[in-house]
Structure formats: C-alpha cells, structure tokens
Amino acid sequence: MTLLSYLHCNPTKSKPFRRFCYPLISAHKLFDGTSQKNATTYINHSISESLRRSSPSQALAIFTKNLQLGFSGRIINEVTLCLALKACRGDTKRGCQVHGFSITSGFASFVCVSNAVMGMYRNAGRFDNALWIFESLVDPDVVSWNTILSGFDDNQVALRFVVRMRSAGVVFDAFTYSTALSCCVGFEGFCLGLQLHSSVVKTGLESDVVVGNSFITMYSRAGSFRDAKRVFDEKVVKDMISWNSLLSGLSQGGNLGFEAVLVFREMMREGVELDHVSFTSVITTCCHENDLKLARQIHGLCMKRGYATLVSVGNMLMSSYWKCGVGEDVESVFYQMSERNVISWTTMISANIDDAVSIFHKMMLDGVYPNEVTFVGLINAVKCNEQIKEGIKIHGTCIKNGFASKLGNSFITMYAKFEALEDAKKAFDEINIREIISWNAMISGYAQNGFSLEALKMYLSAAAEATPNEYTFGSVLNAIASAENISLRHGQRCHAHILKLGLNSCPVVSSALLDMYAKRGSIDESEKVFHEMSEKNQFVWTSIISAYSSHGDFESVMNSFQEMVNENIAPDLITFLSVLTACNRKGMVDKGYEIFNSMTKDYNLEPSHEHYSCMVDMLGRAGRLKEAEELMNEVPGGPGVSMLQSMLGSCRLHGNSKMGEKVAELVMEMEPELSGSYVQMYNIYAETGQWEKAAEVRRKMRKKDVRKEVGSSWVDFIDGEGSLTTHGFSSGDKSHSKSDEIYRMVETLGLEMNLEEKVARL
C-alpha cells in the first residue's frame, strides 16, 4: 500500500503529514465535485508539486493510484504522461511501464510524450532506445531534436547532428545553441562555433543569458580570451555564471593569472555573489602562478564566506599550497575540511612524500577508494624514499584491484630506481598495449643503471614497434655516450633516424647528440650540431663546454664560457666543473681559483665535492701541495676517495712520500680493497729509492688479496652475418674465437713496425 493510500484509509494517522500533503489532499477532495478538466489540472499539479519537492516516488504513486481507480481515460492527459516519465528519474523498469501505457492508450502520438520518453531513456543510459524513437517520429519538433542532441557523449557526433538539424531546417532555440556550443571543442568545433555565433546574432538571441555564457565558455576553452571578454562586456545582463565562466577560462589559461584576479576583484566590487566555482577558479590561478601571498588572501576570504571547508574549494587550496611548497598549510586545510574525497587524500599523499604510505593506510581506513592518480603519487613517494618493500606491496595491491596494467610505466620507473631491472622488465612485459612512453621508461631505466647495451637493444626493439620521440633518443644517446663498448656507428645511425623524423631541431635531442659525439671523441660533429641549433639553452652551452674540456681545448672552453655569460645564460654546477677541469689540464691555477671563487660570489652556487676535488688536483699538479691539503680540509663532510687519490697522484708526481703516506693511509681506511692507493704508494717509494717500503706495500697487497685492476678496451668488427659487433679485450686475453689469428697478425704488425723504424734510421 502506498503512503497516499494509507493516509486515505486512516485519516487520523494523517495529522503529522497534513502540512506536507495538503496540496494533494485538497486536489483529491476537489476532484470529487469538479469537472474532468479541473480534476486533470489538479492531478498534474499534485505530481508537479511532488517533483518540485524532489519526491519522484510520490509523484509516481499519484499517477499509479489514478490508473488503479480506472480514471485513465477521463482524467489523464499527455501532460500527465510527461510528468510521470519525468518522475521515473532513471528507473528504467518504471519508465518502460509508462512508455508501454503511452502506446496502448494512444498518448504516444503526442510529440511531447515521445519527447518525454526519449528523455527518460536518455537519462537512464539507454540512448539507443531514445535514438530509435526519434528516428521513427514523423514530425519531430525542436524539443525532440534538442533531447537527442543533449544525449551524445562524443562531441564530433553531436556536431554532425547539429549540422543535420540545420539541413533539416530546424529553428534553433536558446537550448539548442547552448548545447551545441558545449560540444564545440577542437579546431573544427571552434569553426562551427563561430558560425553559430553569427547565426545567434541574426536571430537576436545574443541577449539570452544562457547563450551568452555558452559563448564565453567556448571562446575561453579555445584560448580566445579576447573574444570571451568581448562577449562578456557586450552582455546587458550578467549573472553569476557569466562571471564564473570568464573567471574559470582565464584561470585555466595558465599565463593569464593577473587578468583572472582582476575579474575576481571586479566581481567583489560589483557585489556579485561568490560561490564555490568562483573560489576554485581564482585558487587555480594561485596554483599556476605559485603565488603564496594571494593563496593565503583567498583562503582568508573563503573562511570568511564559509567556503573553506567545502571539499572542492579545500582540494584547490591544498593543491595551491602544495605547489607553493608549504606542506604545513596543506595539512591544515585537509584537517579543517568537512569531508574529504579521493582528490583530498591523493593531494595529501603527493604533498607528504615521507608519510605517504601511512596516509594511504588512513585513507583506506576512512573508506575512500584510491584511483590511478593516488597510486602514481604513492609510487613516486616510495621511489623517492627507496622503500623497496613498500613498493612491492603497492604493486601487489594494484594487481589485486586491477590497476597494474594502467600503472605499468610508473612501476617500470620505480623498479629502475631500485636497480631491480628484472622486475622492471616484468612490469614492462605485463603491459598489454605498449606505447612509446613504456619503451622510454625501460630504455631510461637501463641507461641510468649502466646497462647501456641493454638500453640500445631496447631502443632497436622500440623503433621496430613504435615511433621514437625526443625522450627515446635522449635516453639511448646517453647510453651510447656512456659506453665505450658500444660502437659510435650506432650513435650515427640514431642521428640518421633523428633527421628522418625531423627531431633534430628539438633542444633535448640536439643536446644529447652533442654530448654523445663529444664523449665519444667526435668534437667536430659536436661543433656541427651546436652551430646548427637555433636555440641554445643552459644545457646546450654546458654540453659544448664539457666537450671542449674533455678534449683539452682550453681556449675554446674559456671563449664559450664567456660567450655564454654574455648571452645572460647563467652557468650551473656542471658548467663550472667543465671549466675548472679545463683549467686543471692547462695548468691555469690562478684562473681556476678565480672561476672557483666566482661560483659563490657571482652565482650563489655552493661547490660540490667534485669541484673541490678538481681544485685539489689542480693545486697538487702545480706542486702547491700545502695549499691543496688546506683546501682539502675545508671540504664539507671531508674529502672523498677520488679527491684523496688525486692528492696521492700529486704526491707521487712531486716525490712527497711523507704527505703521500698520510693520504694513502686515509684511502686504505676508506677503501681497503682498492688497488690504486697501494700501486701509487709503491711507485712513490720506488721512484724515491725506498725499496724496503715498496716491498712492504707489495706484501700488504698479497696479505689482503688486493689485485691490480686489469685495463680493457674494445674494437668494432663485422660478424659473419654482416652485423656490427663490439668485442672487449684486455692484456693477454685469449677469449676471442680467433685469438690465435689475432696474435699472429699483431706479431706481424710489430715486425713491420720494427723494420720501418730500422729503415728510417738508415
């Protein structure tokens, strides 16, 4: 029994509901003594009132009651059917029943009823049914067209339907224009939007508030903010949505933060009522501009107006504070929010890397289900903190919840950071559809962990399945540059591929090419790439300076460095290290000191261990061992092994065995298995005639099982299948299958060289 039936049967029980149900009861009382027309009006009014009070079940109950009383033929009209269909609110079962009744009762012949049926199916997610009904209509009106137009998910399909409407001669109304304009995205959509704007002006609908707001949104979305502002200024009536549309467009424009703030201030001056959309839009500006002062001012206004605790406003405030680098304020907003959704928790996880895992557990306990972005932030946090066990657990959770395939790239980079390349490869293999970003993650992972050959092989596989981009080449060229066991010809082949794809103008690719050629000894090719570049940023200048430095070209280093400074491009730590290295090799100690001191004095850069090490080596080579020792003692955190080895080499160079003993002792304490310090001390003693001490060093090496590292080299050759191969070898190496032939050839070459030398002497 429905609530209405119950109240009719039990009048005494209806007192608590009398105030609520008065319009319905009055309608039924009047029905007893009124005409059929008035009865229909009152029933329709009763259903409308129920819908107005957001009580669709009560509206359907009134409709059903009158059907049960058998008055369908006398008191129900097409309006009643439309209201009943509206009351279905996505309930497909009830909607189908009402649809069936409209057919059997003949009301389906009314176009307004068909429109209501289409609307019901559209709202219930059964758009195909709505489309089928539309195509069967003999004479659809503009509402019929609009009902279908508002149901498309695909903007392109919707715009094609708009073109069909125009071809059919449909007279557009305000709803048609506003719906069509919401679909005008992309270049083609924007062009159609311009045509619609012209049509609106001709029909005189430009003064309609809703249509005007739609144009502001369309122009803003297309980045045409001047046109959006023009439409806004020409509007006679501006409602809150008009202001918010302009403000939102400017805020999301990225570089129009100042204009957005001006619009927000104008809203306040004009006394426009601010809502959560106004605040979220202006806070977005703070995110783009990283303006902490403005963010705090807006936050204060939000608190004053009572919007700070709303989830949408709170989320934007958290994001703004996070991008401004104030984690305490992020937490403050988070804990003041009245409710928190997945965006709130995800922002907290991303903003608190150190506590990300514990925050994630609290999120789960709070009953909030994570999304892909949540896991991306969480994976990044455990990657930065090198929490390997936690990373594996998160991977398991993602597999369990069906996120693993979508987050494959994040897991590849995570495992690569953990140096677990086998697990990274497994994550890569589990990706069903591999785009170039997945290949890039694996190539970069191999390259960063020193597996250059594997990075090259991965690149070759990627090039066969996908189109490489600038990041692909950046990683593989870095791998080739770092590996002497990979032929330079592979780098040249990459260069050819880059030219073919037209990526040679990309700064990332050009810089990587320049660096690769420089590190592999082709300084001429490096210069060629450098001069062909239209834009030269800090990285590019540093790359060419490093190239000259590695080749000992002191003059080119200093000229390029000065030119870089003249171009108002600030050098970084790597630039200074390259310049200091060049000064070191040239023996320009005073110039080196000048450059070293300018780091802190002119550029506010704190020298790293590498810079101190270079200066210590420079002073040591010049025989200024005392100064080198003093500078070494000033190094923050103390000298490292490489610095001590440089100092030890300088002691050997200048025969200072006393200082050498002190330095060698420090190195042996830090790296007892390192052979270099023992060899250096042996040479120092031997060169100064201290043979007993030299023999003692040898005995220590044998006792500690320290062995001198064997040097190695590589050679390119073409194998039997015509493929380019690189083979590594060391002194006395016989691992190659044709080693006997190689040694015979070396012996032959040696004899020929000796013969030529004897002939030259004659």
Side-chain angles (χ1 to χ4, degrees):
M1 181 180 289
T2 63
L3 175 63
L4 196 60
S5 303
Y6 176 75
L7 294 178
H8 275 302
C9 298
N10 301 276
T12 58
K13 301 288 186 181
S14 66
K15 290 180 181 179
F17 303 92
R18 186 158 294 169
R19 182 174 153 190
F20 176 73
C21 298
Y22 179 75
L24 307 182
I25 296 170
S26 299
H28 284 290
K29 284 184 177 180
L30 286 168
F31 168 71
D32 295 334
T34 55
S35 64
Q36 175 183 328
K37 182 177 180 181
N38 287 340
T40 304
T41 302
Y42 281 118
I43 289 172
N44 291 348
H45 176 73
S46 301
I47 297 173
S48 297
E49 281 295 296
S50 296
L51 291 173
R52 188 180 64 81
R53 286 194 296 266
S54 299
S55 183
S57 58
Q58 191 174 45
L60 284 172
I62 296 170
F63 175 76
T64 305
K65 179 66 175 178
N66 283 282
L67 287 182
Q68 291 172 349
L69 291 173
F71 296 128
S72 59
R74 289 181 294 163
I75 62 170
I76 291 179
N77 62 8
E78 67 276 14
V79 178
T80 317
L81 263 294
C82 291
L83 291 170
L85 287 162
K86 186 177 180 181
C88 292
R89 299 276 178 92
D91 186 342
T92 312
K93 183 178 180 181
R94 302 294 291 273
C96 289
Q97 291 174 350
V98 178
H99 183 196
F101 173 76
S102 71
I103 295 172
T104 57
S105 62
F107 283 114
S109 60
F110 289 91
V111 70
C112 63
V113 174
S114 295
N115 293 342
V117 172
M118 289 190 293
M120 180 273 297
Y121 281 124
R122 179 198 63 196
N123 296 336
R126 293 173 61 173
F127 187 62
D128 289 342
N129 294 45
L131 200 57
W132 183 85
I133 293 169
F134 173 80
E135 297 296 352
S136 65
L137 291 177
V138 178
D139 189 21
D141 61 8
V142 68
V143 178
S144 311
W145 290 92
N146 287 346
T147 302
I148 295 301
L149 176 60
S150 61
F152 290 110
D153 292 328
D154 189 320
N155 289 325
Q156 296 301 316
V157 177
L159 292 179
R160 285 198 291 271
F161 191 76
V162 171
V163 174
R164 177 183 169 186
M165 289 177 70
R166 296 189 71 173
S167 301
V170 179
V171 179
F172 289 11
D173 61 10
F175 183 87
T176 314
Y177 283 115
S178 60
T179 306
L181 289 169
S182 68
C183 301
C184 291
V185 296
F187 178 74
E188 292 182 4
F190 182 67
C191 291
L192 180 59
L194 294 176
Q195 295 176 29
L196 291 174
H197 198 168
S198 176
S199 178
V200 164
V201 173
K202 290 178 182 177
T203 57
L205 282 173
E206 72 270 20
S207 60
D208 185 271
V209 176
V210 176
V211 174
N213 294 343
S214 299
F215 277 115
I216 294 171
T217 302
M218 182 201 75
Y219 283 122
S220 297
R221 188 169 50 217
S224 185
F225 298 107
R226 183 176 296 177
D227 290 319
K229 186 67 166 60
R230 177 177 54 79
V231 173
F232 177 82
D233 291 337
E234 290 174 355
K235 284 173 66 69
V236 179
V237 180
K238 302 181 182 75
D239 61 4
M240 183 173 62
I241 298 174
S242 311
W243 287 92
N244 283 346
S245 298
L246 182 62
L247 178 61
S248 177
L250 292 171
S251 299
Q252 295 173 11
N255 58 347
L256 296 168
F258 180 73
E259 290 80 357
V261 173
L262 290 180
V263 170
F264 183 75
R265 287 176 177 170
E266 188 65 23
M267 287 179 72
M268 296 182 66
R269 288 196 192 99
E270 293 290 330
V272 180
E273 182 182 355
L274 303 175
D275 66 352
H276 66 284
V277 177
S278 314
F279 283 112
T280 53
S281 297
V282 75
I283 296 167
T284 302
T285 299
C286 303
C287 293
H288 291 314
E289 301 292 329
N290 289 341
D291 192 333
L292 180 59
K293 184 179 178 181
L294 178 62
R296 284 181 169 154
Q297 289 176 343
I298 301 299
H299 189 182
L301 187 58
C302 289
M303 294 178 70
K304 186 177 179 181
R305 299 291 181 93
Y307 283 99
T309 59
L310 289 182
V311 65
S312 59
V313 177
N315 288 342
M316 287 307 304
L317 282 169
M318 289 173 65
S319 181
S320 180
Y321 283 135
W322 172 37
K323 291 182 179 179
C324 290
V326 281
E328 320 85 59
D329 290 349
V330 174
E331 292 187 29
S332 176
V333 173
F334 179 78
Y335 289 114
Q336 288 175 11
M337 291 169 66
S338 55
E339 64 173 298
R340 307 174 189 98
N341 61 12
V342 65
I343 299 173
S344 318
W345 285 100
T346 299
T347 306
M348 270 292 285
I349 289 170
S350 300
N352 295 272
I353 291 178
D354 293 337
D355 298 322
V357 176
S358 62
I359 294 170
F360 177 74
H361 291 317
K362 290 177 183 177
M363 172 185 175
M364 299 297 286
L365 291 173
D366 200 42
V368 179
Y369 193 73
N371 59 19
E372 290 178 41
V373 183
T374 312
F375 283 113
V376 169
L378 191 60
I379 293 166
N380 180 63
V382 299
K383 180 176 68 177
C384 293
N385 294 328
E386 298 187 0
Q387 297 170 291
I388 301 175
K389 291 183 179 179
E390 294 295 342
I392 295 170
K393 289 179 183 178
I394 292 166
H395 195 175
T397 303
C398 289
I399 293 172
K400 185 178 179 181
N401 292 280
F403 285 107
S405 60
K406 299 175 183 178
L407 297 169
N409 299 330
S410 296
F411 285 118
I412 292 169
T413 55
M414 180 190 76
Y415 284 123
K417 180 67 184 297
F418 296 157
E419 300 180 8
L421 292 172
E422 288 186 8
D423 292 318
K425 186 62 167 61
K426 286 180 183 177
F428 175 80
D429 292 336
E430 289 172 0
I431 299 174
N432 298 324
I433 301 174
R434 289 192 284 265
E435 298 180 350
I436 193 62
I437 189 173
S438 306
W439 291 98
N440 290 350
M442 275 307 304
I443 295 168
S444 177
Y446 280 130
Q448 290 172 7
N449 284 281
F451 292 89
S452 300
L453 190 58
E454 286 75 7
L456 177 61
K457 290 177 180 178
M458 187 61 68
Y459 158 75
L460 295 173
S461 299
E465 292 191 21
T467 303
N469 59 19
E470 61 269 31
Y471 303 107
T472 318
F473 289 111
S475 295
V476 72
L477 289 171
N478 178 53
I480 295 170
S482 303
E484 295 178 357
N485 62 336
I486 294 178
S487 173
L488 178 61
R489 293 182 186 179
H490 285 295
Q492 293 167 336
R493 289 173 180 176
C494 284
H495 194 171
H497 198 175
I498 288 165
L499 292 171
K500 184 179 179 181
L501 295 174
L503 292 172
N504 52 304
S505 59
C506 174
V508 174
V509 176
S510 298
S511 301
L513 269 174
L514 190 158
D515 188 56
M516 185 272 295
Y517 280 125
K519 288 181 177 176
R520 298 306 301 271
S522 298
I523 190 66
D524 292 339
E525 289 295 329
S526 291
E527 287 181 324
K528 185 179 177 182
V529 172
F530 177 78
H531 292 305
E532 287 176 352
M533 296 177 70
S534 56
E535 293 183 14
K536 300 178 178 71
N537 56 21
Q538 183 194 71
F539 184 79
V540 172
W541 280 104
T542 299
S543 296
I544 193 66
I545 290 170
S546 298
Y548 287 133
S549 178
S550 61
H551 287 75
D553 190 345
F554 176 77
E555 297 298 330
S556 296
V557 168
M558 299 312 298
N559 290 337
S560 298
F561 180 73
Q562 190 59 51
E563 193 175 346
M564 178 184 183
V565 172
N566 293 340
E567 292 286 335
N568 292 320
I569 298 175
D572 62 3
L573 291 172
I574 300 173
T575 318
F576 278 108
L577 184 60
S578 299
V579 176
L580 289 174
T581 302
C583 293
N584 184 9
R585 290 180 176 176
K586 188 69 174 178
M588 306 295 288
V589 182
D590 293 334
K591 188 64 178 177
Y593 248 129
E594 180 187 329
I595 297 294
F596 182 77
N597 292 329
S598 72
M599 291 178 65
T600 52
K601 181 182 176 182
D602 299 330
Y603 298 98
N604 198 28
L605 292 173
E606 192 66 33
S608 67
H609 272 67
E610 287 80 4
H611 297 90
Y612 279 104
S613 182
C614 189
M615 285 301 300
V616 167
D617 189 48
M618 190 187 308
L619 291 166
R621 286 173 182 265
R624 295 157 67 168
L625 297 176
K626 188 65 178 175
E627 290 180 64
E629 186 180 28
E630 289 173 357
L631 183 61
M632 194 166 62
N633 293 330
E634 294 176 9
V635 177
V641 173
S642 61
M643 188 183 301
L644 292 169
Q645 284 185 316
S646 297
M647 188 65 178
L648 191 57
S650 298
C651 292
R652 176 194 171 187
L653 182 65
H654 297 284
N656 193 329
S657 59
K658 186 176 180 181
M659 186 178 288
E661 287 174 353
K662 289 196 314 185
V663 175
E665 189 176 339
L666 289 172
V667 179
M668 291 173 188
E669 285 180 5
M670 296 171 70
E671 298 284 350
E673 73 284 353
L674 203 64
S675 63
S677 55
Y678 292 94
V679 174
Q680 288 276 34
M681 277 311 301
Y682 175 85
N683 291 331
I684 289 173
Y685 289 137
E687 289 167 6
T688 55
Q690 301 179 62
W691 296 107
E692 290 185 7
K693 290 185 177 182
E696 180 63 26
V697 171
R698 286 287 191 187
R699 283 193 291 272
K700 283 183 179 180
M701 289 182 71
R702 284 194 294 271
K703 184 178 180 181
K704 295 182 178 181
D705 197 27
V706 176
R707 298 184 182 182
K708 184 179 177 181
E709 294 181 10
V710 179
S712 58
S713 189
W714 295 266
V715 64
D716 294 340
F717 68 95
I718 307 297
D719 61 17
E721 298 177 356
S723 299
L724 180 64
T725 305
T726 302
H727 181 74
F729 63 93
S730 57
S731 178
D733 190 349
K734 292 189 176 182
S735 60
H736 196 273
S737 58
K738 296 184 178 181
S739 59
D740 292 338
E741 295 178 36
I742 292 170
Y743 276 103
R744 282 197 296 271
M745 179 59 70
V746 170
E747 187 177 355
T748 302
L749 289 172
L751 291 172
E752 289 181 0
M753 290 169 67
N754 290 332
L755 182 61
E756 288 182 5
E757 185 179 356
K758 289 178 180 179
V759 171
R761 288 176 181 175
L762 295 174

